[in-house]
PDB file of all heavy atoms in Angstrom:
ATOM      1  N   VAL C  75      -8.583  13.591  -0.352  1.00  0.00           N
ATOM      2  CA  VAL C  75      -8.159  12.392  -1.075  1.00  0.00           C
ATOM      3  C   VAL C  75      -9.342  11.795  -1.813  1.00  0.00           C
ATOM      4  O   VAL C  75     -10.509  12.095  -1.512  1.00  0.00           O
ATOM      5  CB  VAL C  75      -7.540  11.354  -0.121  1.00  0.00           C
ATOM      6  CG1 VAL C  75      -6.273  11.904   0.513  1.00  0.00           C
ATOM      7  CG2 VAL C  75      -8.536  10.930   0.965  1.00  0.00           C
ATOM      8  N   ASP C  76      -9.050  10.925  -2.778  1.00  0.00           N
ATOM      9  CA  ASP C  76     -10.133  10.354  -3.572  1.00  0.00           C
ATOM     10  C   ASP C  76     -10.891   9.293  -2.782  1.00  0.00           C
ATOM     11  O   ASP C  76     -10.473   8.899  -1.688  1.00  0.00           O
ATOM     12  CB  ASP C  76      -9.612   9.794  -4.893  1.00  0.00           C
ATOM     13  CG  ASP C  76      -8.614   8.654  -4.712  1.00  0.00           C
ATOM     14  OD1 ASP C  76      -8.861   7.761  -3.882  1.00  0.00           O
ATOM     15  OD2 ASP C  76      -7.586   8.641  -5.416  1.00  0.00           O
ATOM     16  N   ALA C  77     -12.014   8.831  -3.340  1.00  0.00           N
ATOM     17  CA  ALA C  77     -12.950   7.984  -2.597  1.00  0.00           C
ATOM     18  C   ALA C  77     -12.307   6.688  -2.123  1.00  0.00           C
ATOM     19  O   ALA C  77     -12.533   6.253  -0.983  1.00  0.00           O
ATOM     20  CB  ALA C  77     -14.176   7.690  -3.465  1.00  0.00           C
ATOM     21  N   LYS C  78     -11.498   6.041  -2.987  1.00  0.00           N
ATOM     22  CA  LYS C  78     -10.889   4.767  -2.610  1.00  0.00           C
ATOM     23  C   LYS C  78      -9.902   4.940  -1.472  1.00  0.00           C
ATOM     24  O   LYS C  78      -9.916   4.187  -0.482  1.00  0.00           O
ATOM     25  CB  LYS C  78     -10.185   4.164  -3.837  1.00  0.00           C
ATOM     26  CG  LYS C  78      -9.549   2.810  -3.592  1.00  0.00           C
ATOM     27  CD  LYS C  78     -10.584   1.759  -3.234  1.00  0.00           C
ATOM     28  CE  LYS C  78      -9.922   0.380  -3.094  1.00  0.00           C
ATOM     29  NZ  LYS C  78     -10.912  -0.644  -2.667  1.00  0.00           N
ATOM     30  N   VAL C  79      -9.032   5.955  -1.579  1.00  0.00           N
ATOM     31  CA  VAL C  79      -8.060   6.217  -0.519  1.00  0.00           C
ATOM     32  C   VAL C  79      -8.778   6.636   0.757  1.00  0.00           C
ATOM     33  O   VAL C  79      -8.387   6.252   1.865  1.00  0.00           O
ATOM     34  CB  VAL C  79      -7.062   7.308  -0.969  1.00  0.00           C
ATOM     35  CG1 VAL C  79      -6.129   7.701   0.168  1.00  0.00           C
ATOM     36  CG2 VAL C  79      -6.259   6.815  -2.164  1.00  0.00           C
ATOM     37  N   ARG C  80      -9.845   7.397   0.607  1.00  0.00           N
ATOM     38  CA  ARG C  80     -10.628   7.849   1.762  1.00  0.00           C
ATOM     39  C   ARG C  80     -11.150   6.648   2.552  1.00  0.00           C
ATOM     40  O   ARG C  80     -11.069   6.613   3.778  1.00  0.00           O
ATOM     41  CB  ARG C  80     -11.789   8.707   1.256  1.00  0.00           C
ATOM     42  CG  ARG C  80     -12.562   9.440   2.334  1.00  0.00           C
ATOM     43  CD  ARG C  80     -13.691  10.241   1.704  1.00  0.00           C
ATOM     44  NE  ARG C  80     -14.385  11.042   2.686  1.00  0.00           N
ATOM     45  CZ  ARG C  80     -14.398  12.362   2.712  1.00  0.00           C
ATOM     46  NH1 ARG C  80     -13.737  13.038   1.802  1.00  0.00           N
ATOM     47  NH2 ARG C  80     -15.075  13.014   3.632  1.00  0.00           N
ATOM     48  N   GLU C  81     -11.663   5.649   1.843  1.00  0.00           N
ATOM     49  CA  GLU C  81     -12.177   4.456   2.521  1.00  0.00           C
ATOM     50  C   GLU C  81     -11.060   3.716   3.250  1.00  0.00           C
ATOM     51  O   GLU C  81     -11.237   3.259   4.387  1.00  0.00           O
ATOM     52  CB  GLU C  81     -12.842   3.536   1.501  1.00  0.00           C
ATOM     53  CG  GLU C  81     -13.481   2.302   2.127  1.00  0.00           C
ATOM     54  CD  GLU C  81     -14.215   1.444   1.113  1.00  0.00           C
ATOM     55  OE1 GLU C  81     -14.298   1.849  -0.063  1.00  0.00           O
ATOM     56  OE2 GLU C  81     -14.702   0.365   1.505  1.00  0.00           O
ATOM     57  N   GLU C  82      -9.902   3.600   2.619  1.00  0.00           N
ATOM     58  CA  GLU C  82      -8.768   2.937   3.261  1.00  0.00           C
ATOM     59  C   GLU C  82      -8.325   3.685   4.513  1.00  0.00           C
ATOM     60  O   GLU C  82      -8.015   3.074   5.549  1.00  0.00           O
ATOM     61  CB  GLU C  82      -7.606   2.835   2.272  1.00  0.00           C
ATOM     62  CG  GLU C  82      -7.877   1.891   1.102  1.00  0.00           C
ATOM     63  CD  GLU C  82      -6.797   1.953   0.036  1.00  0.00           C
ATOM     64  OE1 GLU C  82      -5.883   2.804   0.176  1.00  0.00           O
ATOM     65  OE2 GLU C  82      -6.870   1.167  -0.923  1.00  0.00           O
ATOM     66  N   LEU C  83      -8.296   5.027   4.434  1.00  0.00           N
ATOM     67  CA  LEU C  83      -7.870   5.827   5.578  1.00  0.00           C
ATOM     68  C   LEU C  83      -8.854   5.728   6.738  1.00  0.00           C
ATOM     69  O   LEU C  83      -8.456   5.789   7.905  1.00  0.00           O
ATOM     70  CB  LEU C  83      -7.683   7.282   5.166  1.00  0.00           C
ATOM     71  CG  LEU C  83      -6.423   7.589   4.340  1.00  0.00           C
ATOM     72  CD1 LEU C  83      -6.438   9.018   3.843  1.00  0.00           C
ATOM     73  CD2 LEU C  83      -5.164   7.325   5.161  1.00  0.00           C
ATOM     74  N   ARG C  84     -10.149   5.587   6.426  1.00  0.00           N
ATOM     75  CA  ARG C  84     -11.134   5.410   7.502  1.00  0.00           C
ATOM     76  C   ARG C  84     -10.800   4.180   8.336  1.00  0.00           C
ATOM     77  O   ARG C  84     -10.748   4.240   9.577  1.00  0.00           O
ATOM     78  CB  ARG C  84     -12.530   5.219   6.918  1.00  0.00           C
ATOM     79  CG  ARG C  84     -13.154   6.408   6.266  1.00  0.00           C
ATOM     80  CD  ARG C  84     -14.436   5.979   5.596  1.00  0.00           C
ATOM     81  NE  ARG C  84     -14.981   6.999   4.734  1.00  0.00           N
ATOM     82  CZ  ARG C  84     -15.906   6.789   3.815  1.00  0.00           C
ATOM     83  NH1 ARG C  84     -16.400   5.569   3.644  1.00  0.00           N
ATOM     84  NH2 ARG C  84     -16.365   7.774   3.081  1.00  0.00           N
ATOM     85  N   HIS C  85     -10.593   3.043   7.658  1.00  0.00           N
ATOM     86  CA  HIS C  85     -10.284   1.807   8.375  1.00  0.00           C
ATOM     87  C   HIS C  85      -8.966   1.935   9.123  1.00  0.00           C
ATOM     88  O   HIS C  85      -8.820   1.453  10.249  1.00  0.00           O
ATOM     89  CB  HIS C  85     -10.238   0.638   7.400  1.00  0.00           C
ATOM     90  CG  HIS C  85     -11.542   0.363   6.709  1.00  0.00           C
ATOM     91  ND1 HIS C  85     -12.717   0.105   7.403  1.00  0.00           N
ATOM     92  CD2 HIS C  85     -11.871   0.293   5.399  1.00  0.00           C
ATOM     93  CE1 HIS C  85     -13.704  -0.107   6.548  1.00  0.00           C
ATOM     94  NE2 HIS C  85     -13.223   0.019   5.329  1.00  0.00           N
ATOM     95  N   TRP C  86      -8.032   2.601   8.494  1.00  0.00           N
ATOM     96  CA  TRP C  86      -6.737   2.780   9.120  1.00  0.00           C
ATOM     97  C   TRP C  86      -6.831   3.640  10.382  1.00  0.00           C
ATOM     98  O   TRP C  86      -6.229   3.332  11.409  1.00  0.00           O
ATOM     99  CB  TRP C  86      -5.796   3.413   8.091  1.00  0.00           C
ATOM    100  CG  TRP C  86      -4.435   3.702   8.627  1.00  0.00           C
ATOM    101  CD1 TRP C  86      -3.400   2.848   8.782  1.00  0.00           C
ATOM    102  CD2 TRP C  86      -4.001   4.969   9.100  1.00  0.00           C
ATOM    103  NE1 TRP C  86      -2.333   3.502   9.317  1.00  0.00           N
ATOM    104  CE2 TRP C  86      -2.664   4.796   9.525  1.00  0.00           C
ATOM    105  CE3 TRP C  86      -4.591   6.223   9.207  1.00  0.00           C
ATOM    106  CZ2 TRP C  86      -1.931   5.843  10.049  1.00  0.00           C
ATOM    107  CZ3 TRP C  86      -3.849   7.263   9.726  1.00  0.00           C
ATOM    108  CH2 TRP C  86      -2.541   7.070  10.141  1.00  0.00           C
ATOM    109  N   LEU C  87      -7.624   4.733  10.348  1.00  0.00           N
ATOM    110  CA  LEU C  87      -7.798   5.588  11.522  1.00  0.00           C
ATOM    111  C   LEU C  87      -8.449   4.822  12.660  1.00  0.00           C
ATOM    112  O   LEU C  87      -8.059   4.965  13.822  1.00  0.00           O
ATOM    113  CB  LEU C  87      -8.643   6.820  11.166  1.00  0.00           C
ATOM    114  CG  LEU C  87      -8.953   7.769  12.329  1.00  0.00           C
ATOM    115  CD1 LEU C  87      -7.678   8.323  12.948  1.00  0.00           C
ATOM    116  CD2 LEU C  87      -9.863   8.910  11.870  1.00  0.00           C
ATOM    117  N   ARG C  88      -9.421   3.982  12.349  1.00  0.00           N
ATOM    118  CA  ARG C  88     -10.087   3.202  13.387  1.00  0.00           C
ATOM    119  C   ARG C  88      -9.101   2.240  14.050  1.00  0.00           C
ATOM    120  O   ARG C  88      -9.052   2.126  15.274  1.00  0.00           O
ATOM    121  CB  ARG C  88     -11.252   2.432  12.763  1.00  0.00           C
ATOM    122  CG  ARG C  88     -12.068   1.590  13.734  1.00  0.00           C
ATOM    123  CD  ARG C  88     -12.860   2.419  14.724  1.00  0.00           C
ATOM    124  NE  ARG C  88     -12.363   2.286  16.081  1.00  0.00           N
ATOM    125  CZ  ARG C  88     -12.964   2.825  17.139  1.00  0.00           C
ATOM    126  NH1 ARG C  88     -14.045   3.559  16.996  1.00  0.00           N
ATOM    127  NH2 ARG C  88     -12.473   2.669  18.335  1.00  0.00           N
ATOM    128  N   ARG C  89      -8.282   1.572  13.222  1.00  0.00           N
ATOM    129  CA  ARG C  89      -7.284   0.645  13.776  1.00  0.00           C
ATOM    130  C   ARG C  89      -6.241   1.403  14.593  1.00  0.00           C
ATOM    131  O   ARG C  89      -5.829   0.944  15.668  1.00  0.00           O
ATOM    132  CB  ARG C  89      -6.601  -0.130  12.652  1.00  0.00           C
ATOM    133  CG  ARG C  89      -7.505  -1.140  11.950  1.00  0.00           C
ATOM    134  CD  ARG C  89      -6.673  -2.137  11.136  1.00  0.00           C
ATOM    135  NE  ARG C  89      -5.828  -1.485  10.157  1.00  0.00           N
ATOM    136  CZ  ARG C  89      -6.190  -1.202   8.922  1.00  0.00           C
ATOM    137  NH1 ARG C  89      -7.410  -1.506   8.496  1.00  0.00           N
ATOM    138  NH2 ARG C  89      -5.353  -0.616   8.086  1.00  0.00           N
ATOM    139  N   LEU C  90      -5.841   2.574  14.082  1.00  0.00           N
ATOM    140  CA  LEU C  90      -4.861   3.384  14.802  1.00  0.00           C
ATOM    141  C   LEU C  90      -5.393   3.785  16.168  1.00  0.00           C
ATOM    142  O   LEU C  90      -4.690   3.675  17.181  1.00  0.00           O
ATOM    143  CB  LEU C  90      -4.519   4.630  13.978  1.00  0.00           C
ATOM    144  CG  LEU C  90      -3.599   5.657  14.649  1.00  0.00           C
ATOM    145  CD1 LEU C  90      -2.209   5.065  14.838  1.00  0.00           C
ATOM    146  CD2 LEU C  90      -3.533   6.939  13.824  1.00  0.00           C
ATOM    147  N   HIS C  91      -6.639   4.226  16.202  1.00  0.00           N
ATOM    148  CA  HIS C  91      -7.224   4.635  17.477  1.00  0.00           C
ATOM    149  C   HIS C  91      -7.280   3.467  18.453  1.00  0.00           C
ATOM    150  O   HIS C  91      -7.030   3.630  19.658  1.00  0.00           O
ATOM    151  CB  HIS C  91      -8.625   5.206  17.264  1.00  0.00           C
ATOM    152  CG  HIS C  91      -9.263   5.668  18.537  1.00  0.00           C
ATOM    153  ND1 HIS C  91     -10.094   4.860  19.290  1.00  0.00           N
ATOM    154  CD2 HIS C  91      -9.188   6.841  19.219  1.00  0.00           C
ATOM    155  CE1 HIS C  91     -10.496   5.508  20.356  1.00  0.00           C
ATOM    156  NE2 HIS C  91      -9.963   6.721  20.336  1.00  0.00           N
ATOM    157  N   ASP C  92      -7.609   2.298  17.961  1.00  0.00           N
ATOM    158  CA  ASP C  92      -7.682   1.126  18.834  1.00  0.00           C
ATOM    159  C   ASP C  92      -6.315   0.776  19.410  1.00  0.00           C
ATOM    160  O   ASP C  92      -6.231   0.138  20.469  1.00  0.00           O
ATOM    161  CB  ASP C  92      -8.255  -0.070  18.060  1.00  0.00           C
ATOM    162  CG  ASP C  92      -9.733   0.100  17.718  1.00  0.00           C
ATOM    163  OD1 ASP C  92     -10.392   0.938  18.371  1.00  0.00           O
ATOM    164  OD2 ASP C  92     -10.219  -0.591  16.806  1.00  0.00           O
ATOM    165  N   GLU C  93      -5.258   1.195  18.726  1.00  0.00           N
ATOM    166  CA  GLU C  93      -3.901   0.931  19.228  1.00  0.00           C
ATOM    167  C   GLU C  93      -3.437   1.990  20.213  1.00  0.00           C
ATOM    168  O   GLU C  93      -2.846   1.675  21.245  1.00  0.00           O
ATOM    169  CB  GLU C  93      -2.917   0.835  18.061  1.00  0.00           C
ATOM    170  CG  GLU C  93      -3.069  -0.423  17.216  1.00  0.00           C
ATOM    171  CD  GLU C  93      -1.941  -0.557  16.200  1.00  0.00           C
ATOM    172  OE1 GLU C  93      -0.794  -0.205  16.532  1.00  0.00           O
ATOM    173  OE2 GLU C  93      -2.223  -1.018  15.077  1.00  0.00           O
ATOM    174  N   VAL C  94      -3.650   3.268  19.907  1.00  0.00           N
ATOM    175  CA  VAL C  94      -3.079   4.335  20.732  1.00  0.00           C
ATOM    176  C   VAL C  94      -4.049   4.862  21.791  1.00  0.00           C
ATOM    177  O   VAL C  94      -3.622   5.451  22.793  1.00  0.00           O
ATOM    178  CB  VAL C  94      -2.571   5.498  19.862  1.00  0.00           C
ATOM    179  CG1 VAL C  94      -1.508   5.015  18.892  1.00  0.00           C
ATOM    180  CG2 VAL C  94      -3.703   6.160  19.090  1.00  0.00           C
ATOM    181  N   HIS C  95      -5.363   4.717  21.567  1.00  0.00           N
ATOM    182  CA  HIS C  95      -6.395   5.064  22.559  1.00  0.00           C
ATOM    183  C   HIS C  95      -6.374   6.528  22.989  1.00  0.00           C
ATOM    184  O   HIS C  95      -6.812   6.854  24.097  1.00  0.00           O
ATOM    185  CB  HIS C  95      -6.283   4.170  23.806  1.00  0.00           C
ATOM    186  CG  HIS C  95      -6.477   2.722  23.515  1.00  0.00           C
ATOM    187  ND1 HIS C  95      -7.682   2.199  23.109  1.00  0.00           N
ATOM    188  CD2 HIS C  95      -5.598   1.673  23.557  1.00  0.00           C
ATOM    189  CE1 HIS C  95      -7.553   0.892  22.923  1.00  0.00           C
ATOM    190  NE2 HIS C  95      -6.308   0.552  23.173  1.00  0.00           N
ATOM    191  N   VAL C  96      -5.868   7.428  22.150  1.00  0.00           N
ATOM    192  CA  VAL C  96      -5.919   8.845  22.507  1.00  0.00           C
ATOM    193  C   VAL C  96      -7.336   9.363  22.267  1.00  0.00           C
ATOM    194  O   VAL C  96      -7.986   8.995  21.282  1.00  0.00           O
ATOM    195  CB  VAL C  96      -4.881   9.651  21.695  1.00  0.00           C
ATOM    196  CG1 VAL C  96      -5.162   9.604  20.207  1.00  0.00           C
ATOM    197  CG2 VAL C  96      -4.819  11.099  22.165  1.00  0.00           C
ATOM    198  N   THR C  97      -7.839  10.185  23.162  1.00  0.00           N
ATOM    199  CA  THR C  97      -9.161  10.790  23.001  1.00  0.00           C
ATOM    200  C   THR C  97      -9.174  11.602  21.704  1.00  0.00           C
ATOM    201  O   THR C  97      -8.317  12.460  21.490  1.00  0.00           O
ATOM    202  CB  THR C  97      -9.468  11.704  24.198  1.00  0.00           C
ATOM    203  OG1 THR C  97      -9.347  10.950  25.397  1.00  0.00           O
ATOM    204  CG2 THR C  97     -10.873  12.278  24.090  1.00  0.00           C
ATOM    205  N   SER C  98     -10.140  11.311  20.845  1.00  0.00           N
ATOM    206  CA  SER C  98     -10.110  11.892  19.505  1.00  0.00           C
ATOM    207  C   SER C  98     -11.480  12.393  19.082  1.00  0.00           C
ATOM    208  O   SER C  98     -12.503  11.775  19.377  1.00  0.00           O
ATOM    209  CB  SER C  98      -9.632  10.852  18.474  1.00  0.00           C
ATOM    210  OG  SER C  98      -8.380  10.312  18.822  1.00  0.00           O
ATOM    211  N   ILE C  99     -11.478  13.531  18.358  1.00  0.00           N
ATOM    212  CA  ILE C  99     -12.684  14.064  17.720  1.00  0.00           C
ATOM    213  C   ILE C  99     -12.333  14.362  16.272  1.00  0.00           C
ATOM    214  O   ILE C  99     -11.305  14.991  16.004  1.00  0.00           O
ATOM    215  CB  ILE C  99     -13.173  15.366  18.387  1.00  0.00           C
ATOM    216  CG1 ILE C  99     -13.421  15.161  19.888  1.00  0.00           C
ATOM    217  CG2 ILE C  99     -14.451  15.867  17.708  1.00  0.00           C
ATOM    218  CD1 ILE C  99     -13.752  16.452  20.623  1.00  0.00           C
ATOM    219  N   PHE C 100     -13.161  13.901  15.345  1.00  0.00           N
ATOM    220  CA  PHE C 100     -12.946  14.296  13.956  1.00  0.00           C
ATOM    221  C   PHE C 100     -14.227  14.860  13.367  1.00  0.00           C
ATOM    222  O   PHE C 100     -15.334  14.441  13.705  1.00  0.00           O
ATOM    223  CB  PHE C 100     -12.387  13.141  13.117  1.00  0.00           C
ATOM    224  CG  PHE C 100     -13.361  12.053  12.763  1.00  0.00           C
ATOM    225  CD1 PHE C 100     -13.980  12.025  11.515  1.00  0.00           C
ATOM    226  CD2 PHE C 100     -13.633  11.037  13.658  1.00  0.00           C
ATOM    227  CE1 PHE C 100     -14.853  11.006  11.183  1.00  0.00           C
ATOM    228  CE2 PHE C 100     -14.505  10.004  13.329  1.00  0.00           C
ATOM    229  CZ  PHE C 100     -15.124   9.994  12.083  1.00  0.00           C
ATOM    230  N   VAL C 101     -14.035  15.857  12.522  1.00  0.00           N
ATOM    231  CA  VAL C 101     -15.138  16.561  11.858  1.00  0.00           C
ATOM    232  C   VAL C 101     -15.337  15.975  10.476  1.00  0.00           C
ATOM    233  O   VAL C 101     -14.369  15.729   9.745  1.00  0.00           O
ATOM    234  CB  VAL C 101     -14.818  18.065  11.753  1.00  0.00           C
ATOM    235  CG1 VAL C 101     -15.707  18.744  10.720  1.00  0.00           C
ATOM    236  CG2 VAL C 101     -14.978  18.740  13.107  1.00  0.00           C
ATOM    237  N   THR C 102     -16.581  15.740  10.106  1.00  0.00           N
ATOM    238  CA  THR C 102     -16.881  15.252   8.767  1.00  0.00           C
ATOM    239  C   THR C 102     -18.309  15.622   8.385  1.00  0.00           C
ATOM    240  O   THR C 102     -19.155  15.819   9.259  1.00  0.00           O
ATOM    241  CB  THR C 102     -16.698  13.720   8.681  1.00  0.00           C
ATOM    242  OG1 THR C 102     -16.958  13.270   7.352  1.00  0.00           O
ATOM    243  CG2 THR C 102     -17.646  13.000   9.635  1.00  0.00           C
ATOM    244  N   HIS C 103     -18.556  15.737   7.065  1.00  0.00           N
ATOM    245  CA  HIS C 103     -19.923  15.873   6.591  1.00  0.00           C
ATOM    246  C   HIS C 103     -20.381  14.565   5.945  1.00  0.00           C
ATOM    247  O   HIS C 103     -21.487  14.482   5.425  1.00  0.00           O
ATOM    248  CB  HIS C 103     -20.038  17.020   5.573  1.00  0.00           C
ATOM    249  CG  HIS C 103     -19.212  16.804   4.342  1.00  0.00           C
ATOM    250  ND1 HIS C 103     -17.914  17.229   4.236  1.00  0.00           N
ATOM    251  CD2 HIS C 103     -19.494  16.168   3.182  1.00  0.00           C
ATOM    252  CE1 HIS C 103     -17.429  16.881   3.053  1.00  0.00           C
ATOM    253  NE2 HIS C 103     -18.372  16.233   2.392  1.00  0.00           N
TER     254      HIS C 103
END
C-alpha cells in the first residue's frame, strides 16, 4: 500500500492488537 495508507494501517494494527491481545509477530524492513 502507499505511504499514507501504510501509516494509517500501522496505527490501526496497534489499536487492534491492544483490543484482541493475540500474540503477534510482523516482519518489516
Side-chain angles (χ1 to χ4, degrees):
V75 296
D76 62 44
K78 182 63 176 177
V79 174
R80 190 181 185 114
E81 183 176 356
E82 292 172 355
L83 285 173
R84 290 173 191 164
H85 297 303
W86 178 81
L87 177 60
R88 181 68 248 186
R89 291 196 303 271
L90 175 67
H91 181 266
D92 291 341
E93 289 188 37
V94 301
H95 299 293
V96 63
T97 304
S98 304
I99 304 173
F100 74 99
V101 163
T102 182
H103 62 270

